[in-house]
Structure formats: structure tokens, C-alpha cells
Amino acid sequence: MPPRLAGASGTASAWPAEFAERYRDAGWWEGITFGTLLRTRATAHPDRVAVVDHAGPGGTRRAWTYADLDVRADRLAAGLSARGIGAGDKVVVQLPNVAEFLEVIFALFRLGALPVFALPAHRESEIAYFCDFTGAAAYVVPDRHDGFDYRALAATVLARSPELRHVFVVGEDAGPFEALADLPAEPVDLPDPDPSSTAFLQLSGGSTGVPKLIPRTHDDYIYSLRGSAEICALDEDSVYLCVLPAAHNFPLSSPGSLGTLYAGGRVVMCPRPAPDTAFPLIQDERVTITGLVPPLALVWTDAASVTAYDLSSLDVLLVGGAKLAEEAARRVRPALGCTLQQVFGMAEGLVCYTRLDDDPETVATTQGRPISPDDEIRVVDDEDEDLPVGATGHLLTRGPYTIRGYWNAPDHNARAFTEDGFYRTGDLVRLTPSGHLVVEGRAKDQINRGGEKIAAEEVENHLLAHPSVHDANVVAEPDPYLGERSCAYVIRRSGTEAVTAAALRRFVRERGLAGYKVPDRIAFVDAFPTTGVGKISKKDLRILGPENPESPESPESPESPESPEV
Ligand code: AMP
Ligand code: DBH
């Protein structure tokens, strides 16, 4: 008999049997599903509040208990099942931070259908790709959010995607589609999925032309929730404020909304990350813990020094997604009166935290250490040779909650993983003698725009679609607020109309690319710097900088920089 492959669902790469056995024997994989997890919590403490938001009629407060969430998940699962959605189906979920986000994903988990997590910032280009690539059966959207009409986006995507059968709308006006609120039905008996099967497809920030999807199993993800909840000291009295987009791996699992439900705590959904929205929620809901990307942490620490809101309930602020500057780290406790926890994680798996009892120096200067004793960390040179402790090199990792391959991407997997299954993170790190990691840089072709990851190649491909663009390279450049922003260096095609930077940015936006991926700056050049062997040198492009003398027009400032989320 062939060895059983944990997490195998036809298209997801799996852990080899001996690793799966090890992770089960060690007790990391509990053999339970998300559906069972919610059921046991709802049975143990039905009347505790699981989730709070302010998305009721006219912006009113809603508080759903564990029993409410459990019943809602069952009823929605029944309704979805009646629409023909079942085990193995993919459903693109693009919701803002509202309670229905949890209702929808738990309904899908119970069905064995796979949420495909999209971010509210995604537009036609990303969503149509997710629908086509996964053959999604349904797409769940809000009616409107932050001034954007998702029903119009859904109509466009539906017309383009042959396999997409349903659009379900959360909110008061479903337009031409079915309202999610009309779906719930009498619960039906559903077989519990295999805990080693893929529970959902998470998004990678990626470094390639199209985003990669990350298959996470019930077993592996629930282990990362348990580990995170322990490390962040969550319990039934914890109140987690979900500030970053709920579907992102950080606010979902580090420890995030799901880690909070694991621990029996309360999730408060925050619709926007600005202090004037978040601070009143912290005060009124007695929030104890939340997570932010570095630019937001800076905004919050500034705002906290002058706020009239009572933030005294806040015990822990997690900051991650991009490197937090040491000086900024040192400002957190004086400004917010809480403990900083740095977190360095990735949707592919590995998550590192500074510990709550680490000394202040370690908390300010490192990005933490891994969740699991079974997380294997290698720091290697360009030839995959291990480096001595303290030397900076490429981070490779393998472990009980780090994937062994992206979903349906065999060619890319051959490059992104070593033969023995280590994930090539693309991060440059060094290890301290205490086993903490310090992120020193990045080898992957990506821009980390305040925690929002942009794959250079994806944006380059959109620029190249313009008839007046001969060639394009997108690189990161320093930004005082975001840490990094994106700059596209473009060679115009001779003999065509001289396109302007503003027109190119509009072109990319109109192709349906998420706003945060539209280059912050575009500079025109006659040629790209090359390396000794004639390859284009992104390193040299990066240091050309805003004063690039070859740019025939003065560099534009970003039209309307998108606010950083993740
Ligand atoms: P993704 O693979 O899209 O989930 O993005 C994960 C990547 O975000 C990591 O590989 C790092 O490049 C970056 N990242 C996350 N947290 C941190 C952090 N605390 N410091 C520096 N980089 C981070
Ligand atoms: O950036 C990330 O992807 C990230 C950051 C912090 C993450 O996935 C996580 C924690 O789990």
C-alpha cells in the first residue's frame, strides 16, 4: 500500500508519512477539524461571547455567543449545501472585518469546502485569477466597503469566470445577487472532514507573476493556533481586536481571531485600523490584545500620547508583517502601556514570536523564535551550505505547520522548496545565541510595503501590457512611513506615444490590480543597470533612488498612497 500522505487532497503537496507520524506522536496534530473545534467550545461555554462587531443595521453592535456562531455555521452550511456547495468545492471569500467572516468560514469548514482567502483590497485581476485557478464555485462579498461596490466587481468576475456559479452578498443590499442572510436553513448532517485534509487556501505575498495559493490543513493550522494562543497567553478572558484584514494570516492565526476562539476568548472586529475607530473599541470592549503592521504601530503610538480614550485594558501589542525598527519597538510600552510582542510569520507556515517574558532588549532587537520545538531552522549561503550561528543567510524552514508545497504549482515548488522539504522563505536572517531570529533583509523579488507584500513580477507584467512600455522593473525604495514603497523603472518603446507616469499608473489600476500594488513612483530610464554577466541588476536599480538623473520627468509623489493594511 502506498504511504498515506497527510494533507493530500489530490493537488496539495503533503508531509511524508514519517513526518506526519512524528507530528501526531508528539501531540502537535490533535486530529480535530475546525468544525469540531467550534463545536467543543460551544458545548463548553455556549453563552460566552465569541465575536463582536458594529455591522448590524445602521452600524449597531452585534455580539454572537459561541452557541450563536456554532448554530449559524451549521445553518449556513445547510443553506450552502442546498445551493450545491459541498466537500472539496472552493469558495473565494472577500469580506471586511465583520462577524459574518467567521460564520462563513466555519460553515465552509463544516462542509469540507475550502475558503480561498482574498483581501478587501483585491480587485478584478486578483479575484478573477483566484476564481479561475481554483475553479471556485462561489464568491462571497460585502455589498459595499470603504466606498467600494463589491457587487459591481462580482458582476465583472462572474461574467469572466465560467465555473463560478454563485455570488453571495453580506450586507443590506445584495443587488442582483443572493443575500447571504437568506441562505441559512435547518441544519443537515454533514460528515466531519479528515483533519489531515486541506481546510483552506491562504494567500502568499509571493514573488512571481501570479499569486501562489497555500494549502493549510486542519491539523497543521490548529496546531499553530494552539501554540500561538499559549505563547500570547490567551485565555477565556482575552479580547482580541482584529484590526488588519481578517483573512490575512497574521490577524487570522498569530494568535488572531482563530487563536482567540481556540482559547475561548472574544474577537472584536475593527472595520478600519485608524486610531479614531480602534481606540474607542479598545476602551468600550476592554480589548486586551491586538496585532498591527509597523506603520500602524507608529501611528498608534503617536495617537496614544494625546488620546482621551482609556487604553488601559490593552496588555499585548503584536507587531509584524515587516521589520519593526528598534526605536519604534522601544516606544511601544511608554506610549501604549502594554507589552510588545514582535512576530515574524508567513502564510506558508513558520511563525516566530518574542516571548512575553523575554528581556526588553530581546523584544526590541529580535523578531522572536519559532512556535514549535519541531520547527527546523537553517540559515544557509547561496549554495545551501549551513552558516555558523550569527552569520546572515537565507532562512530555510520545515516543520509541523509549514507547507511542503504550494497548491497546484509543481514547477514553482521545485524552486521554492529543497528536495528534503525545507521552504525557501526568501528572507535573510541571522540567529542569536538564544535562538531568536533577526530579519536582516530579503532575497526574494518582492516589495514589503508596510507589511503588504507586492510581487515585482506581477506588477511588471501589467506594465508590460502597455503598448508604449518596452521594459519595466519594479523595486523597493525606502519610505519613511511605510518602510518600503514601490518604484517602477520603465523604458519607453521607441516610436510610440510618450506615456506619462500618471497615465501608466492609471493603466495598471484600470487593469484591475489591487491599489497597494500600483507603483508609488514611476521613473523613465533609457537602460537598466546590468550585472557583470549582463543580467539586469535590481540591486543597482534600488540605489538609483528618487534623484535618478536619467529620469526625463521629475519623479511624481504617490497620488494617493493606499493606507497600509497587510
Ligand atoms: P507571506 O509569505 O506573504 O505570508 O509574507 C511573509 C513574509 O513577510 C516573510 O517571509 C517576511 O518576508 C515578511 N515578514 C513577516 N513578518 C516580518 C517581520 N516581523 N519582520 C520582517 N519581515 C517580516
Ligand atoms: O507577514 C505575514 O505573512 C505574517 C506576519 C506575522 C504572518 O503570516 C503571520 C504573522 O502569521
Side-chain angles (χ1 to χ4, degrees), residues 172-210:
E172 281 161 25
D173 180 3
F177 304 114
E178 198 166 8
L180 189 94
D182 291 341
L183 290 180
E186 265 319 291
V188 290
D189 263 343
L190 294 165
D192 201 26
D194 182 339
S196 71
S197 66
T198 300
F200 58 85
L201 297 175
Q202 183 54 288
L203 268 190
S204 158
S207 55
T208 51
V210 287

Side-chain angles (χ1 to χ4, degrees), residues 227-267:
S228 298
E230 271 168 33
I231 290 166
C232 302
L234 293 187
D235 61 23
E236 295 195 346
D237 296 323
S238 299
V239 182
Y240 177 82
L241 189 69
C242 184
V243 175
L244 300 171
H248 190 276
N249 201 59
F250 175 12
L252 193 62
S253 68
S254 298
S257 55
L258 294 183
T260 303
L261 296 183
Y262 184 96
R266 177 182 299 198
V267 177

Side-chain angles (χ1 to χ4, degrees), residues 297-307 331 335:
L298 290 177
V299 171
W300 279 37
T301 44
D302 283 351
S305 57
V306 291
T307 190
R331 286 214 294 274

Side-chain angles (χ1 to χ4, degrees), residues 203-206 248 319-324 342-348 367 423 425 427 439 442 444 446 448 453:
L203 268 190
S204 158
H248 190 276
V319 182
K323 177 98 177 239
L324 180 66
Q342 291 214 40
V343 51
F344 162 51
M346 52 206 72
E348 288 81 356
Q367 279 65 59
Y423 168 53
T425 65
D427 294 311
V439 180
R442 190 174 57 232
K444 54 192 165 192
Q446 188 183 72
N448 188 335
K453 320 301 186 307

